[in-house]
């Protein structure tokens, strides 16, 4: 029971990190129909900015994280407006080649500026402690990760399904010409959506720095994990992405506890089985 509790707690924490990073890509792929393989680079950028602000510039943790997320979202908005917007009507191959090239640019620039060493984000005293759950102590940082993951899931669901912006976004995806004729600013909606996805990726990069260390090849090293979560959850499905991230997070954590010699084998076997059974996504209905 003790091992099971550890697997569930650590697996949920890891799954929430995967969800926060992946949900922005799920929305970009599923709703904007844009393949962005540089998504992990924005998670890395957010983490590096937070580490630089908190450790080097002596910012408070909360202020540093908020600034890192905002700056990464702004960077995403600028790149979308200046460069990426031109790729929306191009082929999927063009989008893949350009964005994977962009990820390599981020990797090279990060390595040049910060060096190859792992970046650490100092935690404030209130976040460095632990809570005694009886069967084990749970670090406050992981409690924050779980709480933030739940908050992000709720907020994203409400924005996409209940808000006017969500209506504009879905209308722009279904028929851009008709949406524009109705007065919807297609470029603004696309830019804000992409920027929000980059900001969420940055938040995941900061919160998950303990579980997914920040180093220059972060953007490529964890790209497969993010793509697996999006594929299993179903592109554009926030609930599906959350379910996939939690399920795969628990499976990956269980394999490390019980069969660490097999590495991530069980993670990818689970991916194959779930995609075979539900190719449209965990919580999506078959067409």
């Amino acid at each position: 029971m003790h091992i099971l509790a550890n697997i569930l707690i650590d697996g949920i924490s890891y799954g929430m990190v995967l969800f926060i990073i992946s949900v922005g890509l799920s929305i970009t792929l599923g709703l904007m129909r844009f393949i962005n393989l540089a998504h992990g680079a924005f998670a890395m950028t957010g983490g590096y900015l937070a580490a630089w602000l908190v450790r080097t510039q002596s910012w408070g943790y909360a202020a540093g994280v908020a600034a890192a997320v905002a700056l990464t979202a702004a960077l995403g908005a600028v790149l979308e407006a200046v460069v990426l917007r031109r790729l929306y009507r191009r082929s999927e191959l063009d989008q893949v080649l350009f964005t994977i090239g962009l990820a390599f640019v981020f990797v090279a620039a990060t390595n040049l500026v910060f060096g190859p060493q792992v970046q650490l984000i100092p935690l404030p005293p209130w976040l460095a402690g632990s809570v005694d759950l009886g069967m084990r102590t749970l670090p406050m940082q992981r409690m924050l990760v779980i709480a933030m993951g739940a908050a992000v899931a709720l907020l994203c669901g409400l924005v996409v399904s209940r808000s006017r912006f969500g209506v504009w976004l879905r209308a722009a995806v279904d028929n851009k010409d008709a949406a524009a004729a109705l007065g919807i600013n297609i470029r603004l909606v696309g830019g804000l959506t992409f920027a929000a996805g980059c900001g969420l990726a940055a938040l995941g990069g900061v919160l998950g720095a303990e579980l997914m260390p920040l180093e220059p090849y972060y953007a490529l090293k964890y790209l497969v994990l993010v793509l697996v979560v999006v594929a299993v959850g179903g592109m554009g499905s926030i609930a599906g992405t959350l379910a996939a991230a939690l399920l795969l997070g628990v499976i990956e954590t269980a394999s490390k506890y019980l069969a660490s010699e097999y590495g991530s084998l069980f993670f990818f076997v689970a991916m194959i089985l779930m995609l075979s059974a539900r190719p449209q996504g965990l919580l999506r209905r078959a067409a």
Side-chain angles (χ1 to χ4, degrees):
M1 289 299 296
H2 180 72
I3 294 177
L4 179 60
N6 285 342
I7 290 173
L8 287 176
I9 292 172
D10 292 341
I12 290 172
S13 178
Y14 180 49
M16 282 301 191
V17 170
L18 290 177
F19 167 72
I20 296 173
I21 297 176
S22 302
V23 66
L25 181 59
S26 178
I27 292 172
T28 304
L29 278 170
L31 299 182
M32 295 180 65
R33 306 291 194 268
F34 178 65
I35 303 173
N36 178 25
L37 296 188
H39 189 76
F42 293 102
M44 177 182 70
T45 299
Y48 267 79
L49 283 174
W52 178 70
L53 289 172
V54 175
R55 191 181 67 248
T56 306
Q57 303 301 312
S58 301
W59 283 41
Y61 181 82
V65 171
V69 171
L71 289 171
T72 305
L75 174 63
V78 171
L79 285 175
E80 192 275 340
V82 176
V83 181
L84 300 178
R85 184 176 294 169
R86 305 173 187 273
L87 296 172
Y88 288 168
R89 296 186 182 273
R90 301 289 290 271
S91 69
E92 288 84 356
L93 180 59
D94 288 341
Q95 295 175 4
V96 166
L97 291 176
F98 185 89
T99 55
I100 197 68
L102 184 61
F104 278 105
V105 170
F106 271 86
V107 168
T110 302
N111 193 44
L112 177 65
V113 174
F114 294 98
Q117 63 271 18
V118 173
Q119 301 294 312
L120 300 176
I121 304 176
L123 297 177
W126 64 271
L127 204 54
S130 300
V131 176
D132 189 358
L133 300 179
M135 61 188 71
R136 64 162 287 177
T137 57
L138 180 64
M140 284 294 297
Q141 191 270 345
R142 297 203 178 185
M143 290 189 66
L144 176 65
V145 168
I146 295 172
M148 289 298 295
V152 166
L154 179 61
L155 181 61
C156 288
L158 290 175
V159 169
V160 172
S161 62
R162 301 289 181 87
S163 72
R164 178 170 295 183
F165 181 82
V167 173
W168 292 346
L169 175 60
R170 297 197 304 274
V173 168
D174 291 338
N175 193 320
K176 288 186 178 181
D177 294 332
L182 291 172
I184 297 174
N185 190 328
I186 303 299
R187 290 189 174 183
L188 178 61
V189 170
L192 289 176
T193 302
F194 190 84
C198 294
L200 288 173
L203 179 62
V206 174
L207 296 178
E210 177 193 3
L211 300 172
M212 300 163 67
L214 295 165
E215 43 93 9
Y217 285 92
Y218 181 105
L220 302 174
K221 183 177 181 180
Y222 299 112
L223 176 62
V224 173
L225 295 180
V226 174
L227 290 174
V228 167
V229 170
V230 172
V232 172
M235 294 184 295
S237 172
I238 295 171
T241 302
L242 176 60
L246 291 175
L247 186 57
L248 291 169
V250 171
I251 291 172
E252 173 80 346
T253 302
S255 68
K256 290 180 178 178
Y257 269 92
L258 304 176
S260 58
E261 67 272 15
Y262 290 98
S264 296
L265 174 64
F266 293 103
F267 179 92
F268 292 107
V269 169
M271 174 201 73
I272 293 170
L273 293 176
M274 284 186 279
L275 285 177
S276 299
R278 303 283 297 179
Q280 72 278 7
L282 284 179
L283 303 181
R284 283 187 175 274
R285 295 182 179 180

